[in-house]
Protein backbone atom coordinates (compact mmCIF):
# COMPACT_ATOMS: atom_id res chain seq x y z
CA UNK A 1 0.00 0.00 0.00
CA UNK A 2 1.25 3.29 -0.87
CA UNK A 3 1.55 5.70 1.91
CA UNK A 4 0.19 9.18 1.34
CA UNK A 5 2.05 12.16 2.53
CA UNK A 6 0.25 14.87 4.31
CA UNK A 7 0.11 18.11 2.35
CA UNK A 8 2.37 20.95 3.48
CA UNK A 9 0.81 23.67 5.43
CA UNK A 10 0.66 26.95 3.65
CA UNK A 11 2.14 29.98 5.36
CA UNK A 12 0.02 32.98 5.56
CA UNK A 13 0.89 36.04 3.32
CA UNK A 14 1.41 38.21 6.34
CA UNK A 15 4.46 36.16 7.40
CA UNK A 16 6.07 36.71 4.00
CA UNK A 17 5.57 40.41 4.28
CA UNK A 18 7.27 40.49 7.69
CA UNK A 19 10.51 38.97 6.26
CA UNK A 20 11.11 41.74 3.68
CA UNK A 21 13.49 44.63 4.75
CA UNK A 22 12.18 48.03 4.08
CA UNK A 23 14.80 50.63 2.69
CA UNK A 24 14.06 54.33 2.91
CA UNK A 25 14.43 56.30 -0.31
CA UNK A 26 17.08 59.24 -0.28
CA UNK A 27 16.35 62.12 -2.56
CA UNK A 28 19.03 64.09 -4.63
CA UNK A 29 18.45 67.18 -2.54
CA UNK A 30 19.52 65.38 0.60
CA UNK A 31 22.77 64.20 -1.14
CA UNK A 32 23.72 67.76 -2.14
CA UNK A 33 23.20 69.05 1.41
CA UNK A 34 25.43 66.27 2.79
CA UNK A 35 28.27 67.09 0.34
CA UNK A 36 28.24 70.78 1.21
CA UNK A 37 28.35 69.96 4.93
CA UNK A 38 31.37 67.68 4.47
CA UNK A 39 33.27 70.35 2.51
CA UNK A 40 32.64 72.96 5.19
CA UNK A 41 33.74 70.56 7.93
CA UNK A 42 37.09 69.83 6.22
CA UNK A 43 37.79 73.47 5.36
CA UNK A 44 37.12 74.61 8.93
CA UNK A 45 39.20 71.77 10.31
CA UNK A 46 42.21 72.65 8.14
CA UNK A 47 42.22 76.41 8.61
CA UNK A 48 40.19 77.82 11.49
CA UNK A 49 40.67 75.15 14.13
CA UNK A 50 44.54 75.09 13.99
CA UNK A 51 44.52 78.87 14.27
CA UNK A 52 42.49 78.49 17.53
CA UNK A 53 45.01 75.97 18.86
CA UNK A 54 42.73 72.94 18.30
CA UNK A 55 44.52 69.85 16.91
CA UNK A 56 42.67 68.09 14.14
CA UNK A 57 43.32 64.71 12.55
CA UNK A 58 44.54 64.57 9.00
CA UNK A 59 41.73 65.33 6.63
CA UNK A 60 41.59 64.29 3.00
CA UNK A 61 42.12 66.80 0.24
CA UNK A 62 39.82 67.12 -2.69
CA UNK A 63 40.92 66.30 -6.19
CA UNK A 64 44.55 65.37 -5.20
CA UNK A 65 44.20 61.62 -5.07
CA UNK A 66 45.99 61.53 -1.70
CA UNK A 67 47.36 63.66 1.11
CA UNK A 68 48.53 67.19 0.30
CA UNK A 69 52.23 68.08 0.98
CA UNK A 70 52.89 71.54 2.50
CA UNK A 71 55.22 73.81 0.36
CA UNK A 72 56.72 76.23 2.84
CA UNK A 73 59.57 78.15 1.00
CA UNK A 74 61.72 78.90 4.04
CA UNK A 75 62.29 76.89 7.21
CA UNK A 76 63.74 78.98 9.99
CA UNK A 77 66.53 77.40 12.01
CA UNK A 78 66.18 77.72 15.79
CA UNK A 79 68.61 79.95 17.62
CA UNK A 80 71.21 78.27 19.79
CA UNK A 81 72.16 79.54 23.25
CA UNK A 82 75.36 81.37 24.18
CA UNK A 83 77.70 79.24 26.30
CA UNK A 84 80.91 79.62 28.28
CA UNK A 85 83.68 77.60 26.61
CA UNK A 86 87.08 77.75 28.26
CA UNK A 87 86.28 81.19 29.68
CA UNK A 88 85.08 82.58 26.37
CA UNK A 89 81.40 83.28 25.67
CA UNK A 90 80.58 81.70 22.31
CA UNK A 91 77.46 80.95 20.36
CA UNK A 92 76.27 77.40 20.65
CA UNK A 93 75.63 77.16 16.89
CA UNK A 94 72.92 78.08 14.48
CA UNK A 95 74.25 81.56 13.65
CA UNK A 96 75.12 82.20 9.99
CA UNK A 97 78.75 81.56 9.08
CA UNK A 98 80.81 81.69 5.88
CA UNK A 99 84.33 80.32 5.32
CA UNK A 100 86.74 80.75 2.39
CA UNK A 101 89.03 78.27 0.73
CA UNK A 102 91.68 79.42 0.20
CA UNK A 103 91.75 82.25 2.68
CA UNK A 104 95.15 83.48 1.43
CA UNK A 105 94.23 84.37 -2.11
CA UNK A 106 96.32 84.87 -5.23
CA UNK A 107 95.16 87.61 -7.57
CA UNK A 108 92.98 86.11 -10.28
CA UNK A 109 92.69 82.83 -8.38
CA UNK A 110 89.57 80.78 -7.68
CA UNK A 111 87.87 81.00 -4.26
CA UNK A 112 85.15 78.83 -2.73
CA UNK A 113 82.77 80.44 -0.19
CA UNK A 114 80.97 77.87 2.02
CA UNK A 115 78.09 79.04 4.22
CA UNK A 116 75.99 77.46 6.96
CA UNK A 117 73.36 78.48 9.52
CA UNK A 118 71.05 80.14 7.01
CA UNK A 119 67.36 79.35 6.68
CA UNK A 120 66.66 76.31 4.55
CA UNK A 121 65.51 77.32 1.10
CA UNK A 122 66.60 80.94 1.44
CA UNK A 123 68.47 82.67 -1.42
CA UNK A 124 71.86 83.94 -0.32
CA UNK A 125 73.79 86.63 -2.23
CA UNK A 126 77.59 86.72 -1.92
CA UNK A 127 79.49 90.04 -2.18
CA UNK A 128 83.20 90.94 -2.33
CA UNK A 129 84.48 94.33 -1.21
CA UNK A 130 87.06 96.15 0.90
CA UNK A 131 87.40 94.93 4.45
CA UNK A 132 85.45 96.81 7.12
CA UNK A 133 87.61 95.43 9.94
CA UNK A 134 90.06 98.30 9.90
CA UNK A 135 92.77 96.75 7.74
CA UNK A 136 94.79 99.50 6.07
CA UNK A 137 95.19 99.43 2.32
CA UNK A 138 98.69 99.28 0.92
CA UNK A 139 100.45 102.47 -0.07
CA UNK A 140 99.30 103.75 -3.43
CA UNK A 141 96.06 101.73 -3.39
CA UNK A 142 94.10 103.85 -0.89
CA UNK A 143 92.69 105.96 -3.68
CA UNK A 144 91.31 102.87 -5.36
CA UNK A 145 89.84 101.39 -2.16
CA UNK A 146 88.27 104.62 -0.92
CA UNK A 147 84.57 104.64 -1.61
CA UNK A 148 84.67 101.24 -3.28
CA UNK A 149 81.43 99.26 -3.03
CA UNK A 150 81.07 95.51 -2.62
CA UNK A 151 80.49 93.64 -5.86
CA UNK A 152 78.15 90.67 -6.08
CA UNK A 153 80.13 87.59 -7.09
CA UNK A 154 77.51 84.85 -6.74
CA UNK A 155 74.11 83.62 -5.51
CA UNK A 156 73.14 80.27 -4.00
CA UNK A 157 70.12 78.60 -2.42
CA UNK A 158 70.58 77.34 1.11
CA UNK A 159 69.91 73.63 1.17
CA UNK A 160 69.32 71.22 3.98
CA UNK A 161 70.66 72.50 7.30
CA UNK A 162 71.04 75.97 5.70
CA UNK A 163 74.27 75.09 3.80
CA UNK A 164 75.37 76.65 0.49
CA UNK A 165 78.53 76.87 -1.69
CA UNK A 166 79.58 79.58 -4.17
CA UNK A 167 82.70 79.59 -6.38
CA UNK A 168 84.04 82.87 -7.74
CA UNK A 169 87.21 84.36 -9.22
CA UNK A 170 89.26 86.85 -7.22
CA UNK A 171 90.08 90.19 -8.93
CA UNK A 172 93.30 90.45 -10.92
CA UNK A 173 94.20 93.83 -9.41
CA UNK A 174 95.06 94.47 -5.78
CA UNK A 175 93.19 97.37 -4.13
CA UNK A 176 93.63 96.44 -0.46
CA UNK A 177 95.68 93.75 1.28
CA UNK A 178 92.48 92.32 2.84
CA UNK A 179 89.13 91.83 1.10
CA UNK A 180 85.82 90.96 2.76
CA UNK A 181 83.29 88.38 1.59
CA UNK A 182 79.68 88.98 2.75
CA UNK A 183 76.87 86.41 2.54
CA UNK A 184 73.43 88.09 2.84
CA UNK A 185 70.13 86.15 2.89
CA UNK A 186 67.42 87.85 0.85
CA UNK A 187 64.54 89.24 2.90
CA UNK A 188 66.30 88.32 6.14
CA UNK A 189 68.67 89.81 8.67
CA UNK A 190 70.96 86.78 8.47
CA UNK A 191 74.43 87.91 7.39
CA UNK A 192 77.87 86.28 7.59
CA UNK A 193 81.29 87.75 6.77
CA UNK A 194 84.79 86.37 6.16
CA UNK A 195 88.09 88.02 5.24
CA UNK A 196 90.35 87.01 2.36
CA UNK A 197 93.97 88.13 2.60
CA UNK A 198 95.74 88.94 -0.67
CA UNK A 199 98.94 86.91 -0.83
CA UNK A 200 101.95 89.20 -0.46
CA UNK A 201 105.25 88.07 -1.95
CA UNK A 202 103.48 85.85 -4.43
CA UNK A 203 103.31 87.85 -7.63
CA UNK A 204 102.49 86.44 -11.03
CA UNK A 205 104.47 86.56 -14.28
CA UNK A 206 103.13 85.50 -17.67
CA UNK A 207 105.06 85.13 -20.94
CA UNK A 208 103.66 85.35 -24.46
CA UNK A 209 105.78 82.33 -25.48
CA UNK A 210 107.24 79.42 -23.55
CA UNK A 211 109.93 78.36 -26.03
CA UNK A 212 112.77 80.35 -27.65
CA UNK A 213 116.49 80.92 -27.89
CA UNK A 214 118.60 83.67 -26.30
CA UNK A 215 117.96 86.93 -28.09
CA UNK A 216 114.36 86.18 -29.11
CA UNK A 217 111.84 88.89 -28.14
CA UNK A 218 108.74 87.89 -26.13
CA UNK A 219 106.18 89.82 -24.04
CA UNK A 220 106.14 89.80 -20.23
CA UNK A 221 103.07 90.58 -18.07
CA UNK A 222 103.40 90.98 -14.29
CA UNK A 223 100.92 91.50 -11.42
CA UNK A 224 100.64 91.06 -7.67
CA UNK A 225 103.50 93.35 -6.62
CA UNK A 226 103.52 96.50 -4.52
CA UNK A 227 102.30 99.61 -6.34
CA UNK A 228 105.09 101.66 -7.91
CA UNK A 229 107.97 99.41 -6.85
CA UNK A 230 110.97 98.50 -9.01
CA UNK A 231 110.93 95.00 -10.46
CA UNK A 232 114.13 93.19 -11.41
CA UNK A 233 113.90 90.53 -14.11
CA UNK A 234 116.33 87.59 -14.18
CA UNK A 235 116.74 84.56 -16.41
CA UNK A 236 117.37 81.32 -14.52
CA UNK A 237 118.64 83.02 -11.36
CA UNK A 238 117.71 85.61 -8.72
CA UNK A 239 120.96 87.49 -8.18
CA UNK A 240 123.59 89.44 -10.06
CA UNK A 241 122.77 92.03 -12.68
CA UNK A 242 119.14 91.87 -13.84
CA UNK A 243 118.37 91.36 -17.50
CA UNK A 244 115.75 94.11 -17.24
CA UNK A 245 114.36 96.55 -14.66
CA UNK A 246 110.68 97.49 -14.72
CA UNK A 247 108.38 99.66 -12.59
CA UNK A 248 104.99 98.46 -11.36
CA UNK A 249 101.98 100.72 -11.80
CA UNK A 250 99.56 101.81 -9.05
CA UNK A 251 97.96 98.36 -9.13
CA UNK A 252 101.30 96.57 -8.69
CA UNK A 253 101.21 95.37 -12.30
CA UNK A 254 103.14 95.72 -15.54
CA UNK A 255 101.37 95.35 -18.88
CA UNK A 256 102.76 93.57 -21.92
CA UNK A 257 106.44 94.53 -22.10
CA UNK A 258 108.91 93.26 -24.76
CA UNK A 259 111.90 91.43 -23.28
CA UNK A 260 114.74 89.49 -24.88
CA UNK A 261 115.29 85.90 -23.85
CA UNK A 262 118.41 86.03 -21.72
CA UNK A 263 121.47 83.84 -21.61
CA UNK A 264 120.92 80.76 -19.50
CA UNK A 265 121.34 77.00 -19.65
CA UNK A 266 119.71 75.16 -22.53
CA UNK A 267 116.53 73.33 -21.48
CA UNK A 268 113.83 74.16 -18.94
CA UNK A 269 114.50 77.31 -16.98
CA UNK A 270 112.52 80.17 -15.42
CA UNK A 271 112.11 83.87 -15.82
CA UNK A 272 112.14 85.36 -12.31
CA UNK A 273 110.71 88.75 -11.31
CA UNK A 274 111.70 90.14 -7.90
CA UNK A 275 110.15 93.21 -6.25
CA UNK A 276 112.96 95.41 -4.93
CA UNK A 277 110.80 96.90 -2.15
CA UNK A 278 108.37 94.15 -1.20
CA UNK A 279 110.64 91.20 -1.84
CA UNK A 280 107.77 89.56 -3.70
CA UNK A 281 108.80 87.11 -6.38
CA UNK A 282 107.17 85.54 -9.42
CA UNK A 283 108.43 83.06 -11.95
CA UNK A 284 107.35 81.69 -15.31
CA UNK A 285 108.71 78.50 -16.91
CA UNK A 286 110.52 78.76 -20.24
CA UNK A 287 112.21 76.29 -22.58
CA UNK A 288 115.55 77.64 -23.84
CA UNK A 289 116.63 76.32 -27.22
CA UNK A 290 120.21 75.61 -28.24
CA UNK A 291 122.25 78.22 -30.13
CA UNK A 292 123.92 77.24 -33.39
CA UNK A 293 126.70 79.81 -34.06
CA UNK A 294 128.67 79.91 -37.30
CA UNK A 295 131.92 81.54 -38.46
CA UNK A 296 132.99 82.93 -41.84
CA UNK A 297 136.75 83.31 -42.33
CA UNK A 298 138.83 84.81 -45.18
CA UNK A 299 141.26 83.91 -46.55
CA UNK A 300 141.71 80.28 -45.60
CA UNK A 301 145.45 80.33 -46.37
CA UNK A 302 147.92 83.04 -45.31
CA UNK A 303 151.61 83.56 -44.68
CA UNK A 304 153.17 84.80 -41.48
CA UNK A 305 152.63 88.56 -40.96
CA UNK A 306 149.46 88.35 -43.05
CA UNK A 307 146.01 88.75 -41.52
CA UNK A 308 142.82 86.73 -41.61
CA UNK A 309 139.41 88.28 -40.97
CA UNK A 310 136.30 86.58 -39.62
CA UNK A 311 132.66 87.29 -38.81
CA UNK A 312 130.21 85.33 -36.67
CA UNK A 313 126.48 84.88 -36.08
CA UNK A 314 124.18 82.85 -33.87
CA UNK A 315 125.75 83.78 -30.53
CA UNK A 316 123.84 85.39 -27.64
CA UNK A 317 123.17 89.12 -28.04
CA UNK A 318 125.55 91.42 -26.21
CA UNK A 319 127.99 88.76 -25.07
CA UNK A 320 131.72 88.56 -25.71
CA UNK A 321 132.98 85.82 -27.99
CA UNK A 322 136.34 84.47 -26.82
CA UNK A 323 138.72 83.49 -29.62
CA UNK A 324 141.34 80.80 -29.02
CA UNK A 325 143.92 79.15 -31.27
CA UNK A 326 144.00 75.35 -31.44
CA UNK A 327 142.32 75.02 -28.03
CA UNK A 328 138.90 75.30 -26.38
CA UNK A 329 140.42 76.43 -23.07
CA UNK A 330 143.16 78.62 -21.73
CA UNK A 331 143.89 82.24 -22.43
CA UNK A 332 141.94 83.63 -25.39
CA UNK A 333 143.90 85.51 -28.03
CA UNK A 334 141.09 88.08 -28.33
CA UNK A 335 137.47 88.81 -27.35
CA UNK A 336 134.87 90.11 -29.79
CA UNK A 337 131.55 91.66 -28.58
CA UNK A 338 128.35 90.65 -30.35
CA UNK A 339 125.60 93.01 -31.43
CA UNK A 340 121.90 92.88 -30.54
CA UNK A 341 121.38 90.02 -32.97
CA UNK A 342 124.21 87.88 -31.57
CA UNK A 343 126.67 88.52 -34.42
CA UNK A 344 129.93 90.38 -35.13
CA UNK A 345 131.87 91.48 -38.21
CA UNK A 346 135.32 92.70 -39.25
CA UNK A 347 137.43 91.03 -36.57
CA UNK A 348 140.86 89.71 -37.52
CA UNK A 349 144.24 88.36 -36.45
CA UNK A 350 147.78 88.72 -37.85
CA UNK A 351 149.65 85.43 -38.07
CA UNK A 352 153.03 85.14 -36.33
CA UNK A 353 156.17 83.55 -37.88
CA UNK A 354 156.16 80.62 -35.49
CA UNK A 355 152.95 79.08 -36.87
CA UNK A 356 153.33 76.53 -39.62
CA UNK A 357 150.81 74.44 -41.50
CA UNK A 358 147.21 73.71 -40.50
CA UNK A 359 145.66 75.75 -37.66
CA UNK A 360 142.26 76.06 -35.95
CA UNK A 361 140.41 79.00 -34.41
CA UNK A 362 137.82 78.24 -31.69
CA UNK A 363 135.05 80.75 -30.88
CA UNK A 364 133.13 80.38 -27.57
CA UNK A 365 130.41 82.71 -26.23
CA UNK A 366 131.48 83.98 -22.83
CA UNK A 367 127.98 83.69 -21.32
CA UNK A 368 126.13 81.26 -23.55
CA UNK A 369 129.12 78.89 -23.96
CA UNK A 370 127.95 78.35 -27.54
CA UNK A 371 130.96 77.25 -29.60
CA UNK A 372 132.08 77.19 -33.24
CA UNK A 373 135.44 76.51 -34.88
CA UNK A 374 137.08 76.92 -38.27
CA UNK A 375 140.43 76.01 -39.82
CA UNK A 376 143.04 77.72 -41.96
CA UNK A 377 146.61 77.12 -43.20
CA UNK A 378 149.85 79.01 -42.68
CA UNK A 379 151.79 78.94 -45.98
CA UNK A 380 155.61 78.99 -46.00
CA UNK A 381 157.64 81.78 -47.57
CA UNK A 382 159.37 80.62 -50.76
CA UNK A 383 161.99 83.30 -51.62
CA UNK A 384 163.99 83.56 -54.81
CA UNK A 385 167.54 85.00 -55.21
CA UNK A 386 170.21 85.52 -57.80
CA UNK A 387 173.62 87.16 -58.06
CA UNK A 388 174.63 90.04 -60.29
CA UNK A 389 176.27 87.49 -62.58
CA UNK A 390 175.74 83.83 -63.28
CA UNK A 391 179.49 83.16 -63.11
CA UNK A 392 182.95 84.64 -63.30
CA UNK A 393 186.64 84.29 -62.63
CA UNK A 394 188.19 84.26 -59.15
CA UNK A 395 188.30 87.78 -57.79
CA UNK A 396 184.84 88.61 -59.11
CA UNK A 397 182.84 90.78 -56.68
CA UNK A 398 179.34 89.38 -56.20
CA UNK A 399 176.22 91.11 -54.84
CA UNK A 400 172.67 89.83 -54.50
CA UNK A 401 169.06 90.31 -55.62
CA UNK A 402 166.19 88.77 -53.63
CA UNK A 403 162.38 88.59 -53.66
CA UNK A 404 159.52 86.95 -51.68
CA UNK A 405 161.18 87.00 -48.30
CA UNK A 406 159.15 88.03 -45.27
CA UNK A 407 158.61 91.78 -45.00
CA UNK A 408 161.55 93.71 -43.56
CA UNK A 409 163.41 90.64 -42.34
CA UNK A 410 167.24 90.32 -42.26
CA UNK A 411 168.75 87.91 -44.76
CA UNK A 412 172.05 86.21 -43.96
CA UNK A 413 174.28 85.00 -46.84
CA UNK A 414 176.26 81.76 -46.39
CA UNK A 415 178.75 80.34 -48.89
CA UNK A 416 180.16 76.86 -49.58
CA UNK A 417 183.33 76.90 -51.75
CA UNK A 418 183.65 73.12 -52.00
CA UNK A 419 181.51 70.05 -51.73
CA UNK A 420 180.99 68.97 -48.11
CA UNK A 421 182.42 72.21 -46.71
CA UNK A 422 180.67 73.95 -43.80
CA UNK A 423 178.78 77.06 -44.96
CA UNK A 424 180.40 80.31 -43.81
CA UNK A 425 178.56 83.58 -43.13
CA UNK A 426 179.93 86.11 -45.59
CA UNK A 427 177.30 88.87 -45.86
CA UNK A 428 173.86 90.12 -44.69
CA UNK A 429 171.22 92.62 -45.77
CA UNK A 430 167.61 93.55 -45.04
CA UNK A 431 164.71 93.30 -47.44
CA UNK A 432 161.98 95.91 -47.69
CA UNK A 433 158.33 95.58 -46.66
CA UNK A 434 157.65 93.70 -49.89
CA UNK A 435 160.35 91.15 -48.99
CA UNK A 436 162.69 92.25 -51.79
CA UNK A 437 166.23 93.65 -52.12
CA UNK A 438 168.42 94.70 -55.05
CA UNK A 439 172.23 94.76 -55.41
CA UNK A 440 172.83 94.26 -51.73
CA UNK A 441 175.59 92.49 -49.84
CA UNK A 442 179.07 91.84 -51.21
CA UNK A 443 181.42 88.87 -51.63
CA UNK A 444 184.66 88.38 -53.57
CA UNK A 445 185.29 85.00 -55.19
CA UNK A 446 188.54 83.62 -53.64
CA UNK A 447 191.51 82.91 -55.87
CA UNK A 448 191.66 79.20 -55.09
CA UNK A 449 187.99 78.55 -55.91
CA UNK A 450 187.31 75.96 -58.57
CA UNK A 451 184.20 75.06 -60.55
CA UNK A 452 181.43 76.75 -58.50
CA UNK A 453 180.35 78.51 -55.34
CA UNK A 454 177.00 77.83 -53.64
CA UNK A 455 175.29 80.74 -51.89
CA UNK A 456 172.49 80.20 -49.31
CA UNK A 457 170.36 83.22 -48.40
CA UNK A 458 168.47 82.57 -45.13
CA UNK A 459 165.58 84.75 -43.88
CA UNK A 460 165.96 85.23 -40.14
CA UNK A 461 162.26 85.66 -39.35
CA UNK A 462 160.56 83.42 -41.86
CA UNK A 463 163.23 80.67 -41.70
CA UNK A 464 163.04 80.43 -45.48
CA UNK A 465 166.07 79.84 -47.71
CA UNK A 466 166.99 80.74 -51.30
CA UNK A 467 169.98 79.03 -53.00
CA UNK A 468 172.18 80.42 -55.84
CA UNK A 469 174.86 78.50 -57.79
CA UNK A 470 177.72 80.71 -59.06
CA UNK A 471 179.92 79.13 -61.75
CA UNK A 472 183.63 79.88 -61.36
CA UNK A 473 185.64 79.86 -64.59
CA UNK A 474 189.14 78.42 -64.71
CA UNK A 475 191.72 81.15 -64.26
CA UNK A 476 194.59 79.26 -66.05
CA UNK A 477 196.88 79.61 -63.02
CA UNK A 478 197.23 80.88 -59.48
CA UNK A 479 195.43 84.11 -58.65
CA UNK A 480 196.94 86.35 -55.98
CA UNK A 481 193.91 87.52 -54.04
CA UNK A 482 194.23 88.30 -50.32
CA UNK A 483 192.25 85.96 -48.03
CA UNK A 484 189.16 87.87 -46.80
CA UNK A 485 188.76 88.53 -43.10
CA UNK A 486 185.88 86.71 -41.29
CA UNK A 487 182.56 88.54 -41.67
CA UNK A 488 181.26 90.33 -38.58
CA UNK A 489 177.43 90.49 -38.47
CA UNK A 490 176.09 93.95 -37.62
CA UNK A 491 173.71 94.09 -34.67
CA UNK A 492 170.94 95.63 -36.70
CA UNK A 493 170.95 92.67 -39.09
CA UNK A 494 170.54 89.92 -36.54
CA UNK A 495 166.78 89.62 -37.21
Amino acid sequence: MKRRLAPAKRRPAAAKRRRRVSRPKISGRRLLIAAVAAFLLISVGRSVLPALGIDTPKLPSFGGGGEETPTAPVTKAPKAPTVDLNGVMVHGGGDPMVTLNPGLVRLGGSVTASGSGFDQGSMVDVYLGPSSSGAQPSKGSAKNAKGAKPVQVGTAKAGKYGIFTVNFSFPTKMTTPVMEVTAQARGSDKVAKAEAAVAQGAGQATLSAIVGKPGDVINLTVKGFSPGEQLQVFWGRINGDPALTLKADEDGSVGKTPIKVGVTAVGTTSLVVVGKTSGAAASAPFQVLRLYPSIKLAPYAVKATQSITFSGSGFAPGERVLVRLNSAGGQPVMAVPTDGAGGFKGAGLTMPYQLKGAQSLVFIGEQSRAAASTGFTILPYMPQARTNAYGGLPGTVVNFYATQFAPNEAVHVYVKTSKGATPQLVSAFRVNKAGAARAVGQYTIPGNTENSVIFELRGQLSGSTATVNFKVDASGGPVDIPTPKPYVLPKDLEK
Side-chain angles (χ1 to χ4, degrees):
M1 273 180 89
K2 290 184 182 179
R3 195 173 176 183
R4 295 177 116 181
L5 296 176
K9 294 181 180 179
R10 292 183 180 182
R11 295 180 182 178
K16 290 183 179 180
R17 285 193 298 268
R18 283 195 299 267
R19 281 187 291 170
R20 291 179 182 173
V21 178
S22 60
R23 298 179 181 175
K25 292 183 179 180
I26 302 175
S27 65
R29 183 176 181 184
R30 290 180 179 180
L31 288 175
L32 178 60
I33 294 173
V36 172
F39 176 78
L40 293 175
L41 175 62
I42 294 172
S43 298
V44 172
R46 297 185 61 187
S47 59
V48 179
L49 296 180
L52 298 176
I54 302 173
D55 294 330
T56 61
K58 292 184 178 178
L59 297 174
S61 60
F62 292 96
E67 293 184 357
E68 183 180 2
T69 303
T71 56
V74 175
T75 301
K76 293 188 175 182
K79 285 192 174 183
T82 301
V83 297
D84 185 341
L85 180 62
N86 199 26
V88 179
M89 300 304 293
V90 297
H91 292 290
D95 284 347
M97 180 179 67
V98 63
T99 58
L100 304 177
N101 187 20
L104 184 62
V105 186
R106 185 185 295 273
L107 293 177
S110 179
V111 181
T112 299
S114 300
S116 62
F118 289 84
D119 294 332
Q120 180 179 342
S122 62
M123 298 301 294
V124 182
D125 296 320
V126 179
Y127 299 87
L128 178 67
S131 174
S132 59
S133 62
Q136 296 297 320
S138 56
K139 183 180 180 181
S141 64
K143 182 175 64 176
N144 292 340
K146 185 178 180 180
K149 295 182 179 179
V151 177
Q152 185 172 350
V153 293
T155 299
K157 184 177 182 180
K160 193 174 183 180
Y161 309 116
I163 296 174
F164 73 88
T165 299
V166 169
N167 295 315
F168 64 92
S169 295
F170 212 74
T172 58
K173 294 182 179 180
M174 181 175 67
T175 56
T176 62
V178 178
M179 300 289 282
E180 187 174 74
V181 174
T182 302
Q184 171 72 61
R186 293 182 185 176
S188 172
D189 59 353
K190 289 198 171 183
V191 179
K193 296 179 181 291
E195 288 186 342
V198 180
Q200 300 294 314
Q204 290 179 272
T206 306
L207 299 175
S208 61
I210 59 173
V211 177
K213 65 180 184 299
D216 289 348
V217 178
I218 58 177
N219 289 324
L220 168 65
T221 303
V222 177
K223 59 186 176 182
F225 289 83
S226 293
E229 75 171 322
Q230 274 194 345
L231 306 177
Q232 295 181 324
V233 182
F234 301 91
W235 282 99
R237 54 187 173 85
I238 56 173
N239 53 18
D241 295 329
L244 186 66
T245 299
L246 305 173
K247 185 177 181 180
D249 60 20
E250 60 183 8
D251 295 320
S253 304
V254 175
K256 289 184 178 180
T257 301
I259 180 175
K260 286 186 176 181
V261 176
V263 177
T264 184
V266 173
T268 302
T269 186
S270 295
L271 176 139
V272 182
V273 182
V274 179
K276 196 171 182 181
T277 303
S278 66
S283 65
F286 193 83
Q287 185 75 18
V288 179
L289 301 178
R290 179 181 174 185
L291 291 170
Y292 291 91
S294 61
I295 299 294
K296 292 182 179 180
L297 184 145
Y300 284 95
V302 293
K303 295 178 180 180
T305 72
Q306 294 180 344
S307 297
I308 57 173
T309 59
F310 39 81
S311 59
S313 62
F315 291 91
E319 72 171 337
R320 295 197 314 165
V321 177
L322 306 180
V323 184
R324 295 181 174 90
L325 182 69
N326 300 322
S327 174
Q331 184 71 22
V333 296
M334 69 181 303
V336 184
T338 61
D339 55 25
F344 62 87
K345 295 180 180 179
L349 286 170
T350 299
M351 296 297 105
Y353 288 106
Q354 293 80 3
L355 294 179
K356 311 290 181 183
Q359 308 291 324
S360 293
L361 283 175
V362 181
F363 300 80
I364 300 179
E366 187 174 32
Q367 296 177 353
S368 67
R369 310 304 297 170
S373 63
T374 186
F376 64 99
T377 301
I378 301 292
L379 300 175
Y381 280 93
M382 301 180 69
Q384 296 180 355
R386 56 174 293 185
T387 56
N388 57 338
Y390 292 105
L393 295 168
T396 301
V397 177
V398 179
N399 50 33
F400 307 93
Y401 292 78
T403 59
Q404 299 182 34
F405 279 93
N408 301 312
E409 71 174 330
V411 177
H412 295 179
V413 181
Y414 291 83
V415 66
K416 287 197 303 181
T417 57
S418 61
K419 187 176 181 179
T422 302
Q424 300 294 320
L425 178 65
V426 295
S427 183
F429 58 90
R430 186 176 297 279
V431 295
N432 59 20
K433 62 181 180 180
R438 300 178 181 87
V440 293
Q442 183 174 310
Y443 177 70
T444 301
I445 304 297
N448 59 354
T449 304
E450 298 179 356
N451 297 324
S452 66
V453 173
I454 299 176
F455 295 102
E456 290 183 357
L457 285 72
R458 302 175 183 175
Q460 297 305 294
L461 293 176
S462 65
S464 57
T465 300
T467 301
V468 180
N469 287 326
F470 185 89
K471 185 176 179 351
V472 179
D473 297 333
S475 62
V479 178
D480 187 13
I481 298 176
T483 303
K485 295 180 180 180
Y487 180 75
V488 178
L489 181 67
K491 287 285 185 182
D492 62 337
L493 291 179
E494 289 182 355
K495 294 292 183 181

